């Protein structure tokens, strides 16, 4: 069980580092007022909010694709 927990932490760290690197890369060419606003935002910790939103969007997408796939298979079975 400890190995699974370590694996989960490792995966979380990899995803967090990847997404933070991606999200921070677009901020390189910002104005002074945008930099001040970003400094205020950086004081808050939104790292897990971004991760949470990505997980929720991914789960929602998976459910929609699964429902559409099931409906497609049902319609194919009715036609044959």
């Amino acid at each position: 069980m400890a190995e699974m927990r370590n694996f989960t932490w490792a995966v979380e760290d990899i995803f967090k580092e990847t997404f933070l690197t991606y999200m921070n890369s677009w901020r390189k060419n910002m104005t002074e007022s945008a930099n001040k606003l970003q400094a205020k935002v950086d004081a808050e910790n939104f790292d897990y909010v971004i991760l949470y939103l990505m997980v929720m969007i991914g789960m929602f997408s998976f459910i929609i694709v699964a429902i559409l796939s099931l409906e497609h298979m049902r319609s194919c079975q009715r036609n044959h």
Side-chain angles (χ1 to χ4, degrees), residues 9-21:
W9 284 340
V11 170
E12 178 184 342
D13 289 342
I14 289 169
F15 278 124
K16 185 176 174 184
E17 187 65 31
T18 302
F19 295 133
L20 289 178
T21 302

Side-chain angles (χ1 to χ4, degrees):
M1 190 64 167
E3 292 175 4
M4 183 57 101
R5 187 178 325 155
N6 291 338
F7 176 74
T8 304
W9 284 340
V11 170
E12 178 184 342
D13 289 342
I14 289 169
F15 278 124
K16 185 176 174 184
E17 187 65 31
T18 302
F19 295 133
L20 289 178
T21 302
Y22 172 75
M23 296 298 286
N24 290 331
S25 66
W26 63 271
R27 288 196 251 171
K28 291 182 180 174
N29 297 322
M30 294 173 60
T31 63
E32 186 62 33
S33 61
N35 285 334
K36 288 180 183 178
L37 177 63
Q38 191 59 46
K40 289 181 183 177
V41 171
D42 286 342
E44 301 293 327
N45 187 4
F46 289 111
D47 297 344
Y48 288 108
V49 173
I50 294 170
L51 186 62
Y52 174 78
L53 288 174
M54 295 186 79
V55 168
M56 289 296 122
I57 291 169
M59 288 174 34
F60 177 74
S61 301
F62 177 78
I63 290 169
I64 295 300
V65 168
I67 290 171
L68 290 174
S69 298
L70 288 173
E71 290 298 322
H72 178 70
M73 287 189 290
R74 285 182 186 169
S75 68
C76 287
Q77 287 178 354
R78 289 183 197 145
N79 291 337
H80 293 292

